[in-house]
Amino acid sequence: MGASLKDVAARAGVSVKTVSNVVNGYTYVAPHTREKVEKALAELDYRPNLSARNLRRGRTGVIALALPELDAPYFAELSRFVIDAAAERGWTVLIDQTDGLADRERQVLQGIREQLIDGLIFSPLTVGREELAARTDNTPLVLLGERILDGPTHHVAIDNQRAAREMTEHLISLGHTRIGAIGAQDNPSANTAHLRLAGYRQALEAAGLPYDDRLTPSTRSYHRADGAEVMRRLLALDEPPQAVFCFNDLLALGALRTALSAGLRVPQDVAVAGFDDIEDGRYSTPTLTTISPDKGQIARTAVELLDARIGGTGRAARRAEGDAAEVREVEADYRLIVRESTVGTAGA
Amino acid sequence: MGASLKDVAARAGVSVKTVSNVVNGYTYVAPHTREKVEKALAELDYRPNLSARNLRRGRTGVIALALPELDAPYFAELSRFVIDAAAERGWTVLIDQTDGLADRERQVLQGIREQLIDGLIFSPLTVGREELAARTDNTPLVLLGERILDGPTHHVAIDNQRAAREMTEHLISLGHTRIGAIGAQDNPSANTAHLRLAGYRQALEAAGLPYDDRLTPSTRSYHRADGAEVMRRLLALDEPPQAVFCFNDLLALGALRTALSAGLRVPQDVAVAGFDDIEDGRYSTPTLTTISPDKGQIARTAVELLDARIGGTGRAARRAEGDAAEVREVEADYRLIVRESTVGTAGA
DNA sequence: TTGAAAGCGCTAACAG
DNA sequence: CTGTTAGCGCTTTCAA
């Protein structure tokens, strides 16, 4: 075990308190004393023991980021931003992967890591309002990506429904009348999917186009393989769609692959659009039309909200303020980005 | 602050020790007592304070994973495996992003998070043997991906040079004689790049092909944009290469994009190969020939090595054993995966 | 300006 | 089988 405050104090010939003062940059320390202490500190290569400090202060400087899978590019990119934003506040981020499993998500809410983390940023896939309300753990929480209306917690998300509507309108404006959607979910608490589907239907309706549920097959998850497979089914229909709106970019990349290897030209034979604006879609051939949520803004906002919730003074104070503070729902920005997969310029 | 052991003890009418025994699942506790305690535990919704426990035990159950960027798919995929492997041992993983910056990497080695983490898994980009030797922090460390020979630390990596040679041989076996390589690095401590370049040169030499350094431009980093840009330069040569071996898949995807948007057919006009086997390459069109390191094995091995190094008994014991234990260099498996981008079956 | 000492919540000797 | 008690290293009144 490294040197402790006591060791340093002994070596410098002062009290622990004085060393502590120096370490924590308190003001009133005589220059001479300070010097002695700093020398001892350096000689012993002192490093504060965070467990002890945390125990005393009642906070740890660690927050958790819980998300379905780190290896889905959208989450990887988002994590990057969250970690950076947290680092600016001197926080360290610890990652919890839920795999989108209901059980694991519930565990996260109940605070597996409690007392180790000062706060939690959580991107749920399946848990709903009830689970949230049932939460007994009172670690500050900010939700991401889901829009659980009137939920009891801070959250930040884009307007999924509006974004989906815009994308569908884009496809309609291109003259397509038979438009598929990939990514509907059977799970009734898959909020995001429902909102995107709702946006899609709204746009169809507004344009007077019929809704055909054969064109909106649900998928098991949101990976490339799901998109590839469902696209095969869509293309096998008597009347295949002229365009497909995929509820995330991975699905779109999978769908793209299926279309291209079937010898179809994209977008001439079938247009493909995604959602999330992951980097892959900027380099695929054709490049991918998509909705680009402002991930940096989402991350920064989440961290800020959490910071406000955690407050400056440890658990006791937090509890007092926290409960009083009202819940905030922040809507993040997004943009529709039109690329080759719907308007095609390249030779593909 | 939640209920403490003392609170529970008071409520159950027993001593703290007994409660502790129950919480930690010790054997000799009278059924009746246990019952009482468990009731109190539940009523008070007791959760152990990890800071206190850690302080006492001298370990935290947290390890750090330090890597260049979480949003590079290779690292995202690797992280996933590391987090899963760590979870099996009850460890939590905290992520440090270095952005490959020498300063940040040095900080990581010097233990920014010391006393908060029991161990460190580190995938360095720039630091070399000297920095490693100069390390004063004695948190157990396992290096990833780099092969710093005779280094003072455990590490796990594939044989980069051999893998690169195999890939180059594959391209040669296809009849290509003018083969480019994308991803050389000017930075002399960019070990991985040098090894891959060395493997490439070995293969050329063995086949009696000349080495032409105009065909091996260096890149600033390993992103899609770098691959795209360097590929443009390569294609602008008087005698452009018939095939390019990119030192990672992102470079390859960028190069692919450049080639395709220049109207070239891949692999007929130019073959492209990558390294890492990220998921993108399995769904790009054409799909990407690549080297597939066994990421699961790498992650599991790293976690195992760390576990052995941390030992069962906190810092004191660790120091004693640790220094004695010999350094282990584990070589992970990899496979050459041939896909469309070099042997082309699809219509692309 | 500095020191002494209490105590954060927990675990583990040691007794009983 | 259960209780007492001494710290782990740190921060923080309270005094001096």
Side-chain angles (χ1 to χ4, degrees), chain B residues 133-201:
Chain B
R135 183 172 125 97
T136 65
D137 179 10
N138 58 2
T139 307
L141 168 67
V142 174
L143 286 184
L144 241 46
E146 280 283 333
R147 183 163 203 81
I148 299 179
L149 294 167
D150 310 319
T153 35
H154 285 341
H155 74 239
V156 28
I158 66 167
D159 186 332
N160 274 296
Q161 183 165 347
R162 185 155 58 83
R165 177 152 48 76
E166 274 182 40
M167 177 58 88
T168 312
E169 284 165 358
H170 163 66
L171 296 174
I172 293 173
S173 78
L174 260 22
H176 302 301
T177 55
R178 194 160 169 77
I179 300 171
I182 296 183
Q185 295 280 290
D186 294 328
N187 177 350
S189 54
N191 234 309
T192 308
H194 299 322
L195 290 170
R196 291 182 189 172
L197 187 63
Y200 158 85
R201 295 189 65 163

Side-chain angles (χ1 to χ4, degrees), chain A residues 7-67:
Chain A
D7 301 333
V8 178
R11 180 166 195 117
V14 300
S15 81
V16 202
K17 173 64 163 86
T18 306
V19 182
S20 175
N21 282 342
V22 172
V23 170
N24 292 293
Y26 284 160
T27 14
Y28 306 115
V29 182
H32 175 62
T33 318
R34 177 184 300 275
E35 203 171 299
K36 272 195 310 191
V37 171
E38 274 170 351
K39 185 151 163 287
L41 243 21
E43 286 170 359
L44 267 50
D45 189 25
Y46 171 79
R47 329 225 174 165
N49 179 316
L50 294 193
S51 291
R53 180 175 283 178
N54 296 340
L55 174 56
R56 199 44 239 236
R57 294 216 248 235
R59 38 188 310 188
T60 66
V62 175
I63 64 170
L65 174 62
L67 34 74

Side-chain angles (χ1 to χ4, degrees), chain A residues 5-342:
Chain A
L5 273 191
K6 206 157 87 179
D7 301 333
V8 178
R11 180 166 195 117
V14 300
S15 81
V16 202
K17 173 64 163 86
T18 306
V19 182
S20 175
N21 282 342
V22 172
V23 170
N24 292 293
Y26 284 160
T27 14
Y28 306 115
V29 182
H32 175 62
T33 318
R34 177 184 300 275
E35 203 171 299
K36 272 195 310 191
V37 171
E38 274 170 351
K39 185 151 163 287
L41 243 21
E43 286 170 359
L44 267 50
D45 189 25
Y46 171 79
R47 329 225 174 165
N49 179 316
L50 294 193
S51 291
R53 180 175 283 178
N54 296 340
L55 174 56
R56 199 44 239 236
R57 294 216 248 235
R59 38 188 310 188
T60 66
V62 175
I63 64 170
L65 174 62
L67 34 74
E69 351 169 67
L70 198 46
D71 53 347
Y74 175 75
F75 291 115
E77 294 180 10
L78 190 62
S79 302
R80 205 245 150 68
F81 286 115
V82 170
I83 292 176
D84 287 345
E88 278 176 23
R89 285 177 161 67
W91 291 346
T92 302
V93 176
L94 153 177
I95 307 258
D96 246 329
Q97 280 184 122
T98 62
D99 284 314
L101 300 173
D103 258 15
R104 294 255 275 284
E105 293 202 344
R106 262 193 296 272
Q107 277 176 18
V108 164
L109 281 182
Q110 290 311 325
I112 353 166
R113 315 277 181 225
E114 197 200 12
Q115 313 264 37
L116 176 59
I117 59 173
D118 293 338
L120 171 63
I121 296 179
F122 180 27
S123 175
L125 225 51
T126 64
V127 301
R129 202 181 313 179
E130 321 73 49
E131 278 99 338
L132 228 45
R135 181 172 126 97
T136 64
D137 179 9
N138 57 2
T139 307
L141 168 67
V142 174
L143 286 184
L144 240 46
E146 280 284 332
R147 184 163 200 84
I148 300 180
L149 294 168
D150 309 320
T153 36
H154 285 341
H155 73 240
V156 28
I158 66 168
D159 186 331
N160 274 296
Q161 183 163 347
R162 186 156 55 86
R165 177 153 47 78
E166 275 181 38
M167 177 59 89
T168 312
E169 284 165 359
H170 163 66
L171 296 173
I172 294 172
S173 77
L174 260 22
H176 302 300
T177 53
R178 197 161 165 74
I179 300 171
I182 297 183
Q185 295 279 289
D186 294 330
N187 178 348
S189 53
N191 233 308
T192 308
H194 298 322
L195 290 171
R196 293 184 188 170
L197 188 63
Y200 158 85
R201 294 189 66 163
Q202 264 187 353
L204 290 189
E205 200 163 331
L209 295 173
Y211 171 73
D212 179 348
D213 65 8
R214 285 169 307 175
L215 292 183
T216 61
S218 54
T219 60
R220 241 167 41 84
S221 59
Y222 271 35
H223 299 131
R224 293 179 180 85
D226 301 298
E229 184 208 319
V230 167
M231 187 63 168
R232 272 190 288 276
R233 297 218 308 268
L234 244 29
L235 293 180
L237 290 176
D238 289 340
E239 262 190 294
Q242 304 148 338
V244 290
F245 168 29
C246 303
F247 290 176
N248 84 350
D249 281 354
L250 288 184
L251 291 171
L253 290 168
L256 201 58
R257 170 72 196 158
T258 294
L260 295 177
S261 41
L264 297 176
R265 291 164 311 155
V266 176
Q268 294 87 336
D269 298 326
V270 58
V272 174
F275 203 113
D276 281 351
D277 191 25
I278 62 178
E279 239 227 359
D280 317 37
R282 301 206 268 274
Y283 285 87
S284 57
T285 303
T287 52
L288 202 59
T289 292
T290 193
I291 294 287
S292 177
D294 188 334
K295 303 187 192 85
Q297 186 197 20
I298 293 175
R300 259 175 288 120
T301 309
V303 169
E304 273 163 27
L305 287 178
L306 201 57
D307 198 6
R309 205 85 160 67
I310 291 175
T313 14
R315 282 167 188 268
R318 170 206 317 165
R319 177 98 61 97
E321 305 163 8
D323 288 14
E326 85 284 30
V327 166
R328 290 183 37 206
E329 312 196 339
V330 178
E331 196 174 294
D333 299 326
Y334 68 88
R335 289 180 308 134
L336 168 63
I337 298 189
V338 177
R339 299 207 189 93
E340 297 164 3
S341 70
T342 58

Side-chain angles (χ1 to χ4, degrees), chain B residues 14-15 17-18 28-30 33 55-56:
Chain B
V14 299
S15 80
K17 175 64 163 91
T18 305
Y28 307 114
V29 181
T33 316
L55 174 57
R56 193 49 237 231

Side-chain angles (χ1 to χ4, degrees), chain B residues 167 170-171 174 245-246 249 252 272-277 281 284 286-291 336-344:
Chain B
M167 177 58 88
H170 163 66
L171 296 174
L174 260 22
F245 167 29
C246 303
D249 281 354
V272 174
F275 202 113
D276 282 351
D277 191 25
S284 56
T287 53
L288 202 60
T289 292
T290 193
I291 295 287
L336 167 64
I337 299 189
V338 177
R339 300 208 188 94
E340 298 163 3
S341 69
T342 58
V343 301

